[in-house]
Amino acid sequence: MKKLLKVLGLALVLVLGSSVAMAERVPMPVDKMPAQVQTFLNDYYPGATVAKSWAKMMRPTTEPMWYRVNLDNGTKLWFDLTGNWYQVDAKKSSVPASIDLLPNDARKTITDQFAGATVKSIKFKKDQYKITLSDGQKLKFEKGYGLKVKKAKKN
């Protein structure tokens, strides 16, 4: 019985290990990505130079899992399979104020309660936004539950 469990365990490790190895980062120019990615870049980062762009592919298919674009100013952008953004990381600069990625009530709360701070990163997952501000505040906004300060920067 112990040998059978060891063999099954080893088989499981091999199967899981091989599926992870099949995910591959493949260079991909932005003009080959979904139109939504291109529109996002044109609308919010006009004139920005793409430093690097790629798709995470699951092999043996050629279907991308997600897309990533790094801009020359250090901003990193992640998009899902259909081209919808889900993470913007502008830690070396700031997320442009013109980006309307956050719901209106979250933007208003940030503007009112954290005046002078700029948004450095936004991560979206389902109905939850994780936000990092220039003053070190880490915020979490959940639709229907409002804004919570997760962690304040220590002075």
Side-chain angles (χ1 to χ4, degrees), residues 128 130-131 137-140 147-152:
Q128 181 183 93
K130 292 183 180 180
I131 305 151
Q137 298 279 0
K138 295 192 183 285
L139 313 172
K140 182 169 72 172
L147 187 67
K148 298 177 185 176
V149 177
K150 263 183 90 177
K151 178 180 172 186

Side-chain angles (χ1 to χ4, degrees), residues 11-139:
L12 181 62
V13 167
L14 290 173
V15 168
L16 291 176
S18 66
S19 66
V20 170
M22 291 190 315
E24 180 181 355
R25 205 166 83 166
V26 176
M28 180 176 285
V30 171
D31 63 357
K32 300 290 184 203
M33 293 181 180
Q36 283 181 266
V37 173
Q38 297 168 47
T39 301
F40 185 92
L41 291 171
N42 289 334
D43 289 352
Y44 300 120
Y45 293 94
T49 303
V50 174
K52 202 181 226 185
S53 59
W54 66 88
K56 187 74 163 196
M57 308 289 259
M58 181 57 82
R59 298 293 184 203
T61 70
T62 57
E63 185 78 14
M65 296 165 52
W66 49 263
Y67 301 96
R68 166 100 177 255
V69 177
N70 290 0
L71 302 177
D72 61 351
N73 68 0
T75 299
K76 299 172 185 172
L77 307 161
W78 286 263
F79 301 90
D80 67 15
L81 175 64
T82 60
N84 297 309
W85 77 276
Y86 67 87
Q87 187 170 349
V88 176
D89 183 355
K91 290 181 182 168
K92 293 181 181 178
S93 57
S94 292
V95 174
S98 63
I99 292 183
D100 54 358
L101 301 179
L102 296 170
N104 290 335
D105 47 348
R107 280 192 309 212
K108 182 173 177 2
T109 302
I110 291 170
T111 302
D112 293 348
Q113 293 182 19
F114 303 96
T118 57
V119 176
K120 292 299 205 174
S121 69
I122 305 170
K123 185 173 184 178
F124 175 71
K125 189 174 183 181
K126 298 195 180 185
D127 285 340
Q128 181 183 93
Y129 297 84
K130 292 183 180 180
I131 305 151
T132 303
L133 300 178
S134 58
D135 64 1
Q137 298 279 0
K138 295 192 183 285
L139 313 172

